[in-house]
Amino acid sequence: SATTCDSPVAPKPTPRTIIVSPRVGIRSIPATFLFDRQGKCRASNLRGEALAEEVGKLLQEPPPGK
């Protein structure tokens, strides 16, 4: 099931992630956002089959004005 765009997308940093992240070259956490044809964010942080399923649903929706 999709995570809505209103949900938190990243955990709060801990002292360990703040210290370790720069040492191993991590600058950001990967994230995905799906937008519909009207530009509304419909889902976030999907991976694999869940991402494919949500993209398929969005592609089945009619274009605006039709």
Side-chain angles (χ1 to χ4, degrees):
S1 143
T3 302
T4 64
C5 297
D6 296 329
S7 298
V9 295
K12 290 183 180 181
T14 64
R16 182 179 174 139
T17 60
I18 292 169
I19 293 168
V20 173
S21 298
R23 289 184 190 167
V24 295
I26 297 172
R27 291 197 226 170
S28 64
I29 298 172
T32 58
F33 297 91
L34 288 180
F35 292 87
D36 64 15
R37 293 176 179 167
Q38 291 80 32
K40 179 181 175 187
C41 185
R42 299 277 294 267
S44 62
N45 295 321
L46 301 175
R47 303 280 187 272
E49 199 59 40
L51 176 59
E53 183 179 324
E54 290 300 315
V55 168
K57 288 179 189 177
L58 287 174
L59 290 174
Q60 294 300 316
E61 292 181 0
K66 291 195 175 189

